Amino acid sequence: MHVSADFPDPFEPNKTPVIRSLLDITADGFDHRAVSINRRNPGGPAFARGLLPRGQETGIAICEQSFDYGTTLQYAAPPRGLFHKTMLHRLGDWLAARLAGAPGPDLLVAHKLTIEGIAVRRAATRLNLPFALVIQGNTDLKILAARPDLRGEFRRIFHDAAAVLPFAPWALRGVEARLGCRAGPVHMMPCPTDLDRPLTPVVGDGTLVSAFHLRNLAGKNLAGLCSALRLTARQGHRLHLSVIGGGSEADLAQGRALAAGLDAVAFEGPLGRAALRDRMHRATGFAMPSHRESFGLVFVEALMAGLPIIYPSGAAVDGWFDGLPFALRVDARDHRAIARAMLALVRDEARLKAELARWQRSDDARRFMRPAIADVFGRGLREAIGRGRSAQA
């Protein structure tokens, strides 16, 4: 039984498909069910009523609906983290009540430490079940930093989990720096993508590309890319950047304002999956020094499409490509570092793409393909189930 706030469902169909993909690629070995959760602000009186016990009821659910993968739930919780633990404990009580008294799951899975983990550990404790934990760096580290008052709760979740599956090495390091190193098993697991078939790198068209929805242009650091382009222009280098991704007219206007005076920046609009892959294959390099990024599938998709990448330190895929020349790590706050990396992608294109072509044929590259990810995820789940059974014996 998976509990995730990042699962496409009838209430929020446009959420990232990563968690759903993990279930799909391991469906031959597990009977997966999901509880897709959506927080809703209940308002003043409703919130007050939700804090009061009502017999055996938890008072947590606003609306509940079945869908193909299980159940989707809108649950009551105020914004800005108010009563964060209280309301997620209520969610855990709801989950325990739902699963009690019937043939239940062998394992509960929380798809973030600092949100779903609170509810899942509560339910697992009440049901005497093991639980596994997926760590997503962006949200988890943000909440860990913002809520030192819940450090004890988070520490218990992290260390009590029967298995932990982080998306990236930097995310695990950040959690362990705050909560201590785990004694239990950890399975490092990249996110799966449908664009995981390698395309042999070719000489590109001279453009660097970035890909994101324009509503996210601040987090994806379009401002930093534009500042870097202005710097390279002053140094006598004319680089071209194409931004792939849709957005509203207001989003596009904001992007054009950030790129004011830079005729080397083009906004190409949204592309379908196959077209995105083809567009990246024709380019020279990929640059997206995001300020925050839990994993960033597009970096792996760019590498598989034959593009060397620029990625941010302490975010996204940091730790997966250490020492590899075609993956350039930069401080997202330093436009000079971004500029140097952009120049390197263009100047050293042939060498970097030759190194990338060799990597694409390696076992290291295969770990980012769906069969290998399914193996890691499946092993982590089986190990957690086994540890739970051993503890109950």
Side-chain angles (χ1 to χ4, degrees):
M1 178 69 75
H2 301 260
V3 181
S4 174
D6 302 302
F7 203 102
D9 61 37
F11 293 128
E12 297 285 347
N14 295 321
K15 288 190 284 190
T16 173
V18 165
I19 306 304
R20 184 178 65 191
S21 296
L22 287 171
L23 273 59
D24 289 342
I25 64 177
T26 52
D28 59 342
F30 299 90
D31 179 14
H32 292 299
R33 294 290 184 271
V35 176
S36 178
I37 61 174
N38 302 276
R39 182 183 62 80
R40 294 291 179 267
N41 184 359
F47 171 53
R49 287 196 301 272
L51 287 177
L52 297 174
R54 299 188 296 178
Q56 298 301 311
E57 300 178 16
T58 65
I60 188 69
I62 296 176
C63 188
E64 179 184 342
Q65 183 176 334
S66 296
F67 73 121
D68 290 346
Y69 287 84
T71 300
T72 179
L73 176 75
Q74 291 180 325
Y75 73 97
R80 301 183 183 278
L82 293 173
F83 296 95
H84 185 66
K85 182 175 76 169
T86 298
M87 303 314 292
L88 288 168
H89 276 177
R90 291 290 177 89
L91 180 60
D93 292 341
W94 174 89
L95 182 61
R98 171 59 64 90
L99 297 176
D106 297 298
L107 180 71
L108 300 181
V109 185
H111 283 274
K112 277 192 294 294
L113 164 65
T114 54
I115 298 176
E116 295 93 318
I118 297 175
V120 164
R121 181 182 179 275
R122 174 86 162 195
T125 300
R126 292 192 166 221
L127 296 169
N128 194 29
L129 285 174
F131 71 96
L133 176 66
V134 174
I135 292 178
Q136 299 187 35
N138 184 12
T139 299
D140 278 334
L141 292 184
K142 184 178 179 180
I143 295 177
L144 278 172
R147 296 303 301 265
D149 57 311
L150 298 181
R151 188 68 55 84
E153 177 85 5
F154 297 143
R155 185 177 293 110
R156 287 187 289 272
I157 296 165
F158 182 58
H159 292 283
D160 288 353
V164 168
L165 299 109
F167 281 166
W170 67 270
L172 177 64
R173 289 195 298 266
V175 171
E176 288 188 333
R178 293 167 173 82
L179 304 181
C181 293
R182 265 180 61 83
V186 174
H187 300 266
M188 201 64 61
M189 179 184 69
C191 297
T193 173
D194 59 320
L195 302 182
D196 61 359
R197 180 176 61 85
L199 296 178
T200 302
V202 298
V203 175
D205 60 10
T207 63
L208 303 177
V209 296
S210 197
F212 52 86
H213 196 285
L214 293 179
R215 66 172 173 264
N216 301 319
L217 58 81
K220 304 301 182 179
N221 201 14
L222 180 59
L225 287 168
C226 291
S227 294
L229 287 172
R230 290 188 179 93
L231 176 59
T232 58
R234 290 196 297 271
Q235 294 171 342
H237 306 285
R238 183 172 173 78
L239 303 183
H240 295 268
L241 175 70
S242 290
V243 179
I244 304 165
S248 67
E249 288 298 325
D251 295 331
L252 182 57
Q254 187 178 1
R256 286 174 171 159
L258 287 172
L262 287 171
D263 58 359
V265 177
F267 294 90
E268 296 192 3
L271 294 176
R273 300 293 288 160
L276 172 63
R277 180 181 177 82
D278 290 343
R279 177 65 187 95
M280 288 195 294
H281 189 232
R282 298 194 310 271
T284 291
F286 181 85
M288 198 172 79
S290 315
H291 288 299
R292 286 190 175 273
E293 195 86 57
S294 278
F295 182 74
L297 278 177
V298 71
F299 293 102
V300 174
E301 292 166 355
L303 291 172
M304 293 302 182
L307 284 189
I309 61 172
I310 296 170
Y311 68 92
S313 61
V317 293
D318 194 7
W320 282 115
F321 303 105
D322 291 352
L324 296 177
F326 51 80
L328 305 184
R329 179 178 184 263
V330 299
D331 183 343
R333 301 164 298 182
D334 185 351
H335 72 281
R336 293 177 178 82
I338 298 170
R340 288 193 296 271
M342 294 172 81
L343 284 169
L345 288 189
V346 175
R347 181 187 63 235
D348 302 329
E349 178 184 8
R351 178 178 64 84
L352 298 181
K353 286 188 172 179
E355 294 284 353
L356 176 55
R358 279 190 283 273
W359 175 85
Q360 286 180 335
R361 299 188 293 270
S362 71
D363 289 338
D364 191 45
R366 281 188 280 275
R367 76 165 71 177
F368 295 96
M369 299 176 189
R370 282 166 291 179
I373 295 170
D375 181 66
V376 173
F377 190 45
R379 281 191 286 112
L381 298 182
R382 290 187 193 94
E383 183 170 26
I385 292 169
R387 286 168 62 86
R389 288 173 177 166
S390 297
Q392 294 167 6

